[in-house]
Amino acid sequence: MYIKQWAAALLLGAIVLGTASCAKDEPKKPETSIAIEDLAGTWNLSGATFSPETVTVGGTEYKVADHIFKAFIFGGLNATPSKVKIEDGKATLISVVGGAEKTFDLGLKDGKLSFQSFSLGSVVREGNQLKLEIAVENALLKRMPLDHFANSEAGVILKAIADQNLDLKIKATGTK
């Protein structure tokens, strides 16, 4: 009689051990947040990627990253931002040109970036990193007045992106 109980206990123990050893913990994803208190502070930006990377106009290929922040829509930053400062419902993009800081302010609400009444991307904290995305939809580019595209390489690039029915997307990662 005790043999059956021992056999059942051993079988149950083997099943429990087998299940426990086969179960793997899934890696935890970093917690995400769009709360202003989690985003607040100055973040150093790196790893900026641009989509599209290049555009061709009149047989000349332009690297978007080299010109796009000179465009009027970025308030004359003149270079890819190296920092973003977040406080009081505002995200300030900061680039350094010739030793001087240039800034461009965006509104920030619920993780969404905006300029005037236009949506321009998002920002979210993932663990100890900030994920910044600037997105200028093609529909917005097509609604811009033609004089915004005139007389600058940045304007020519924006017009080419609009004419090719592409969205402009810029992504960067921030660390404190």
Side-chain angles (χ1 to χ4, degrees):
M1 184 141 128
Y2 288 110
I3 294 174
K4 288 182 181 178
Q5 290 172 342
W6 275 105
L10 287 174
L11 179 60
L12 180 61
I15 291 171
V16 168
L17 285 174
T19 303
S21 67
C22 290
K24 293 183 180 179
D25 289 336
E26 291 188 28
K28 282 188 171 180
K29 286 187 172 183
E31 290 187 29
T32 61
S33 177
I34 56 172
I36 194 72
E37 59 270 9
D38 293 334
L39 301 173
T42 300
W43 298 81
N44 295 311
L45 297 175
S46 63
T49 60
F50 295 79
S51 175
E53 290 182 33
T54 61
V55 293
T56 302
V57 179
T60 302
E61 186 175 73
Y62 294 94
K63 190 173 177 185
V64 173
D66 292 343
H67 304 283
I68 203 63
F69 284 104
K70 296 175 185 172
F72 70 96
I73 63 171
F74 295 112
L77 282 174
N78 293 329
T80 302
S82 58
K83 296 179 184 182
V84 62
K85 182 177 181 180
I86 298 176
E87 63 183 359
D88 301 326
K90 180 173 74 170
T92 302
L93 299 175
I94 304 166
S95 64
V96 179
V97 179
E101 281 190 355
K102 304 250 182 180
T103 63
F104 178 63
D105 292 330
L106 294 167
L108 176 63
K109 184 176 181 182
D110 298 327
K112 303 292 182 197
L113 297 170
S114 62
F115 181 69
Q116 296 174 353
S117 63
F118 302 108
S119 176
L120 279 184
S122 64
V123 63
V124 64
R125 182 175 182 161
E126 290 182 1
N128 63 352
Q129 291 188 328
L130 186 81
K131 301 293 182 179
L132 172 73
E133 180 176 332
I134 297 171
V136 183
E137 294 179 1
N138 187 266
L140 177 59
L141 291 172
K142 287 189 174 201
R143 287 194 317 248
M144 291 181 188
L146 288 176
D147 62 338
H148 286 338
F149 299 124
N151 302 324
S152 73
E153 286 182 343
V156 168
I157 290 169
L158 282 174
K159 183 163 180 7
I161 292 170
D163 290 346
Q164 294 173 23
N165 293 317
L166 300 172
D167 294 335
L168 172 63
K169 291 189 179 183
I170 304 162
K171 295 180 181 182
T173 301
T175 55
K176 282 192 176 184

